[in-house]
Amino acid sequence: MAGKLYMVPTPVGNLEDMTMRAIRVLKEADLILAEDTRTSGVLLKHFDIKTPMQSHHKFNEHQTCERIADRIEGGENIALVTDAGTPGISDPGFMLSRACRERGLEVECLPGATAFVPALVASGLPCERFVFEGFLPMKKGRATRLAELAADPRTCVIYESPLRLARTLRQLAETFGVSRPAAVCREISKLHETINKATLGELADYYGVNQAKGEIVIVVEGSGKQDRRERGGVAGADENEQLTKT
């Protein structure tokens, strides 16, 4: 009888975000695949999980997917975790899931931690419809993709490195308009979590002189009334509006 692949979310910050079900699955699995065994080792030790662990990351997943699928087909239950969050969301996981599906093997993804959902909800921007962009293209196709997103009426969610944050905010302000409402969410579920809400122009100015640290999620309101006001002659936000932090 074939086994199963479990995609197990792990906390993006606070270890208390780990679910009881995730702990049980990791304890009962025959093997845990980890993006970084050192990072996951800390988590496993905290929850007294002694399951054997093996490295599985973006640099070796092309070579290992079929061998892992062989083991699942042979009856092993294997759990995949990444450094933080849900496997497959801007992290390794898709290739192994696809390999299992192509063989008719069962894949079960547990609900749990991910950075973009709390960032989206806490931003105060519309969240009934949104587009999750992940990381933007670094070079080729970047300008085209930004233009497409600028015209999208849905709230846009973007992951970004703190080292590239100021540059990306400038590009967003240039493409979306300086008065488009947005939020920069930093270190979700961690001790120094901050959510800065303002316009893209204000955020670009702020992070142009204030270096951000940690993991970043950018949330930008979709196109709509704000853009029509800007085309009608409003160059930016109300000059009395201040950058707010929560």
Side-chain angles (χ1 to χ4, degrees):
M1 181 177 178
K4 183 189 293 188
L5 172 65
Y6 291 91
M7 312 282 272
V8 182
T10 54
V12 297
N14 194 322
L15 290 180
E16 292 181 359
D17 294 337
M18 190 74 168
T19 68
M20 295 174 65
R21 181 181 172 200
I23 295 170
R24 177 183 59 78
V25 167
L26 292 178
K27 285 185 175 182
E28 294 177 354
D30 296 300
L31 175 69
I32 296 172
L33 302 176
E35 183 179 9
D36 187 322
T37 55
R38 294 165 300 181
T39 300
S40 296
V42 175
L43 180 76
L44 300 190
K45 183 178 180 180
H46 181 83
F47 291 105
D48 194 31
I49 298 169
K50 297 180 172 62
T51 307
M53 186 166 46
Q54 177 180 311
S55 178
H56 181 83
H57 48 70
K58 65 180 180 180
F59 301 109
N60 72 0
E61 60 180 337
H62 290 273
Q63 293 76 35
T64 60
C65 278
E66 294 303 324
R67 292 199 298 272
I68 295 166
D70 286 341
R71 296 179 64 168
I72 295 171
E73 195 166 21
E76 292 188 57
N77 291 315
I78 295 180
L80 173 64
V81 299
T82 54
D83 290 350
T86 300
I89 304 298
S90 296
D91 275 329
F94 162 69
M95 290 184 182
L96 181 55
S97 177
R98 179 178 61 184
C100 290
R101 289 295 188 192
E102 288 175 347
R103 296 193 188 199
L105 300 173
E106 190 173 356
V107 177
E108 183 174 333
C109 182
L110 279 61
T114 187
F116 79 84
V117 173
L120 173 64
V121 174
S123 72
L125 298 174
C127 53
E128 67 274 9
R129 296 179 67 236
F130 65 92
V131 54
F132 173 66
E133 186 63 19
F135 288 95
L136 291 165
M138 291 297 293
K139 294 181 180 179
K140 185 178 181 181
R142 185 179 178 93
T144 300
R145 187 60 186 146
L146 283 171
E148 292 171 348
L149 292 171
D152 197 314
R154 297 171 295 178
T155 299
C156 179
V157 183
I158 298 168
Y159 282 170
E160 189 52 280
S161 158
L163 298 177
R164 298 191 296 266
L165 178 61
R167 169 177 172 263
T168 295
L169 287 171
R170 287 196 303 271
Q171 292 176 329
L172 288 170
E174 291 167 0
T175 309
F176 288 56
V178 293
S179 61
R180 183 81 71 94
V184 171
C185 308
R186 187 179 70 86
E187 295 288 82
I188 292 294
S189 189
K190 297 179 182 176
L191 180 62
H192 300 291
E193 175 179 321
T194 59
I195 301 176
N196 292 356
K197 307 173 185 178
T199 65
L200 282 173
E202 290 170 326
L203 290 169
D205 289 342
Y206 179 81
Y207 287 103
V209 296
N210 294 278
Q211 175 64 52
K213 295 181 180 180
E215 297 185 353
I216 305 292
V217 184
I218 304 171
V219 185
V220 187
E221 186 174 285
S223 65
K225 291 187 293 183
Q226 187 76 22
D227 301 289
R228 290 194 290 273
R229 288 199 298 270
E230 191 165 307
R231 288 194 294 269
V234 178
D238 187 292
E239 59 187 47
N240 293 321
E241 184 174 358
Q242 299 296 317
L243 185 67
T244 62
K245 297 184 181 181
T246 64

